[in-house]
């Protein structure tokens, strides 16, 4: 089992309620809150869409019901590498109009490389106490000033001995604000914000694989790589990396090898990749 940082809390501060226990991690950023399911099957009567904005592209995915509980997944991409920032909202708006895309439910995706996460153990199984402990820990765990940070947490496991395993996530408010601004100018308002690695984790859980195994998930696309380690159905580790597929392939392989070494040094078991 992976070793998780055990924290001894010496004081308690106030915290706005955030997160909940469960396999689907919950993150509240810029006032948005949702259990992140990737592109969820729940609410199957709706056309659920997701938009991921990076420096080079806008990736658009839409899950469309196909009847009798089935669905199809459409994926398209807008290359914005050569477009001025002020023109990106118009380009997105034109794309939606030209492709006759109607959005009923929208998810804004944040690449894992733009989010910092930590896994810690706190000496409590009480949700309210954990919420208060989390805020006390933030300044020591993340390289952001309080006024520039958006954060939330999820309780991933409650130990019968009175300890809880907690995952914390934080990003700079500027990042989410910029993405939200692009969508707003394009006439779009997301229903939620999700983190790419959390989406990958939850989509994998929906496949109902063998629960006793420990998996390492590697997803590479759109100049982004997500690495996620599952320890018996719990998200134990995640990492996001930006890369140039033409110039950095050897560096990408080196990053994967280094990550495997770090996980094994921590005592993490990997049964399948």
């Amino acid at each position: 089992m992976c070793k998780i940082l055990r924290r001894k809390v010496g004081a308690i501060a106030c915290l706005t309620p955030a997160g909940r226990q469960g396999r689907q991690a919950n993150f509240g950023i810029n006032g948005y809150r949702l259990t992140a399911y990737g592109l969820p099957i729940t609410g199957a009567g709706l056309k659920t869409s997701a938009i991921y904005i990076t420096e080079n592209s806008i990736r658009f995915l839409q899950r469309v019901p196909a009847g009798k509980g089935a669905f199809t997944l459409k994926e398209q991409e807008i290359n914005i590498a050569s477009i001025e920032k002020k023109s990106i909202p118009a380009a997105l708006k034109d794309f939606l109009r030209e492709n006759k895309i109607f959005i009923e439910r929208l998810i804004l995706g944040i690449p894992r490389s733009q989010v910092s996460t930590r896994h810690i153990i706190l000496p409590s199984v009480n949700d309210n106490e954990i919420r208060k402990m989390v805020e006390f820990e933030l300044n020591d765990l993340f390289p952001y000033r309080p006024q520039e940070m958006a954060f939330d947490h999820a309780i991933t496991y409650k130990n019968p001995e009175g300890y809880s395993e907690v995952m914390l996530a934080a990003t700079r408010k500027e990042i989410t604000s910029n993405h939200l601004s692009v969508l707003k100018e394009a006439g779009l308002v997301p229903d939620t914000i999700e983190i790419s690695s959390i989406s990958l984790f939850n989509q994998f859980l929906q496949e109902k694989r063998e629960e006793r195994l420990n998996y390492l998930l590697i997803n590479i696309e759109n100049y982004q790589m997500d690495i996620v380690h599952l320890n018996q159905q719990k998200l134990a580790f995640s990492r996001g990396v930006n890369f140039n597929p033409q110039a950095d392939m050897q560096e990408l392989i080196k990053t994967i090898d280094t990550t495997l070494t770090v996980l094994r040094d921590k005592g993490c078991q990997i049964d399948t990749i």
Side-chain angles (χ1 to χ4, degrees):
M1 181 179 292
C2 292
K3 297 178 182 177
I4 300 176
L5 180 63
R6 187 181 296 272
R7 308 293 293 186
K8 294 183 179 179
V9 179
I12 293 179
C14 294
L15 173 67
T16 302
R20 71 177 180 86
Q21 184 180 8
R23 289 178 179 170
Q24 287 76 30
N26 192 3
F27 295 96
I29 298 175
N30 285 37
Y32 285 87
R33 298 182 60 80
L34 170 85
T35 301
Y37 286 90
L39 286 173
I41 296 176
T42 55
L46 297 177
K47 292 182 179 179
T48 301
S49 307
I51 290 180
Y52 283 82
I53 303 174
T54 69
E55 293 182 1
N56 301 294
S57 67
I58 297 179
R59 182 179 170 222
F60 182 86
L61 301 94
Q62 187 169 55
R63 173 170 278 175
V64 182
K68 297 183 179 180
F71 62 86
T72 59
L73 184 63
K74 298 180 179 179
E75 181 174 353
Q76 295 170 282
E77 183 178 337
I78 309 172
N79 188 335
I80 60 173
S82 60
I83 300 177
E84 292 186 45
K85 287 187 177 181
K86 64 180 181 180
S87 301
I88 292 176
L92 175 57
K93 199 171 184 177
D94 290 343
F95 165 81
L96 296 174
R97 183 180 65 254
E98 291 170 3
N99 289 277
K100 298 180 180 180
I101 296 174
F102 175 70
I103 297 175
E104 295 180 329
R105 184 169 182 270
L106 179 63
I107 297 171
L108 169 60
I110 303 295
R112 171 63 179 82
S113 58
Q114 297 178 0
V115 179
S116 297
T117 66
R118 298 289 187 275
H119 295 261
I120 63 175
I121 293 178
L122 295 175
S124 177
V125 292
N126 181 281
D127 289 356
N128 290 328
E129 290 182 357
I130 291 172
R131 289 169 187 147
K132 295 173 182 178
M133 292 176 183
V134 165
E135 187 175 73
F136 177 77
E137 296 294 320
L138 289 174
N139 290 338
D140 292 334
L141 294 174
F142 296 108
Y144 310 120
R145 291 178 294 182
Q147 63 269 26
E148 66 181 20
M149 177 170 58
F151 69 92
D152 206 345
H153 76 279
I155 302 170
T156 58
Y157 178 70
K158 289 185 175 180
N159 190 307
E161 297 179 0
Y163 287 85
S164 294
E165 296 179 12
V166 181
M167 179 170 60
L168 289 77
T171 186
R172 290 187 295 112
K173 291 179 181 179
E174 179 185 4
I175 291 175
T176 52
S177 295
N178 288 344
H179 292 334
L180 290 169
S181 178
V182 169
L183 295 184
K184 183 179 180 180
E185 290 185 46
L188 301 173
V189 179
D191 295 281
T192 185
I193 296 176
E194 74 174 22
I195 302 169
S196 60
S197 59
I198 305 300
S199 171
L200 179 62
F201 164 68
N202 286 310
Q203 290 181 56
F204 184 80
L205 287 184
Q206 291 178 5
E207 296 183 10
K208 299 180 180 179
R209 302 291 185 95
E210 173 58 58
E211 294 188 5
R212 292 172 296 178
L213 295 181
N214 300 291
Y215 297 91
L216 186 71
L217 312 181
I218 301 175
N219 187 59
I220 302 174
E221 58 187 343
N222 294 81
Y223 312 104
Q224 305 281 329
M225 177 174 68
D226 282 270
I227 302 176
V228 176
H229 179 244
L230 278 73
N231 179 9
Q232 297 183 359
Q233 299 290 81
K234 293 187 297 181
L235 196 160
F237 171 89
S238 67
R239 182 182 185 184
V241 180
N242 297 323
F243 71 95
N244 182 327
Q246 296 180 342
D248 296 339
M249 189 54 64
Q250 290 301 319
E251 190 65 28
L252 196 64
I253 295 173
K254 182 179 178 181
T255 298
I256 295 173
D257 288 339
T258 301
T259 301
L260 286 169
T261 300
V262 169
L263 288 172
R264 286 166 177 154
D265 288 346
K266 288 183 177 181
C268 299
Q269 183 176 345
I270 299 173
D271 298 311
T272 184
I273 300 176

